[in-house]
Amino acid sequence: MVPSKETITQIAELFKAFGDPTRVQILSLLLGQELCVGDIAEAVNISQSGISHQLRILKQMHLIKFRREGKNILYSLADDHVRTILQTGLEHVLE
């Protein structure tokens, strides 16, 4: 069965989110832990505002989630589907 045009568009948009190396790096960092913007910025070596922009895109695509802990906002992968997509991509590239 061929998905509807709307579904195909949504899938294409999902893969666009994975089309940016910085976003993939952020998602990879979040594979094993929750992190705040500052920690992500330090690990990726990009400004906090640059990271915030990328996080906003990842949130819009439902690839990450966040929770407040005091004054900090901690980010993590939205669900196991995101983990599977990342791991499958890595396996494919290393084949």
Side-chain angles (χ1 to χ4, degrees), residues 8-60:
I8 289 172
T9 300
Q10 289 173 334
I11 293 168
E13 290 298 317
L14 172 68
F15 283 113
K16 276 187 199 177
F18 285 95
D20 180 87
T22 300
R23 289 194 289 268
V24 173
Q25 191 173 7
I26 291 168
L27 292 169
S28 296
L29 286 168
L30 297 176
L31 264 173
Q33 60 190 336
E34 291 181 310
L35 293 170
C36 66
V37 173
D39 292 338
I40 297 169
E42 186 177 322
V44 178
N45 197 27
I46 293 179
S47 70
Q48 287 191 16
S49 64
I51 293 299
S52 292
H53 172 73
Q54 298 300 339
L55 290 172
R56 192 168 26 262
I57 292 168
L58 293 170
K59 278 191 289 188
Q60 289 172 347

Side-chain angles (χ1 to χ4, degrees), residues 66-82:
F66 66 94
R67 69 178 180 89
R68 288 194 182 275
E69 190 172 277
K71 292 184 177 184
N72 290 325
I73 298 176
L74 297 172
Y75 295 89
S76 61
L77 296 181
D79 56 38
D80 285 336
H81 294 113
V82 180

